[in-house]
Amino acid sequence: MEQITLQISDGSKMEAYASRPKTKSKMGIIIFQEAFGVNGHIKDMTKHFADEGYLAIAPELFHRTAPPGFTAGYDQFNSVMDHFTAI
């Protein structure tokens, strides 16, 4: 499991969380975050898919409106609304 930085076509950068399978794979999957960011649950999902043989990546979709690594608790939906609607 690792944190990576993706270069976006507009010149900005996006952080992402990636999990690689133990053996080389030609298959990959994108795990889209919930409204609460790339939190522990989303990271666990990337690990799960890596354990199944997929390269799994979860990009931080709030990269333009929130600091890298931004997450919110499941009871804090109001705090993510601005980020969520900006997508």
Side-chain angles (χ1 to χ4, degrees):
M1 298 176 285
E2 62 186 297
Q3 193 73 25
I4 62 172
T5 301
L6 304 172
Q7 185 69 42
I8 306 303
S9 63
D10 68 1
S12 64
K13 295 184 180 183
M14 174 191 287
E15 296 299 310
Y17 187 80
S19 293
R20 300 176 189 275
K22 292 180 181 177
T23 59
K24 190 173 181 177
S25 173
K26 294 182 181 182
M27 298 179 290
I29 188 167
I30 298 172
I31 308 296
F32 284 100
Q33 69 178 55
E34 300 167 318
F36 309 100
V38 180
N39 58 18
H41 171 67
I42 299 301
K43 290 177 179 181
D44 287 345
M45 294 302 298
T46 65
K47 184 179 180 323
H48 169 77
F49 280 103
D51 290 345
E52 295 296 321
Y54 294 90
L55 169 61
I57 185 168
E60 293 184 4
L61 300 180
F62 298 156
H63 69 284
R64 289 188 174 95
T65 59
F70 174 82
T71 61
Y74 286 113
D75 60 345
Q76 298 174 322
F77 188 72
N78 287 339
S79 70
V80 300
M81 279 306 297
D82 290 341
H83 306 296
F84 190 72
T85 57
I87 296 175

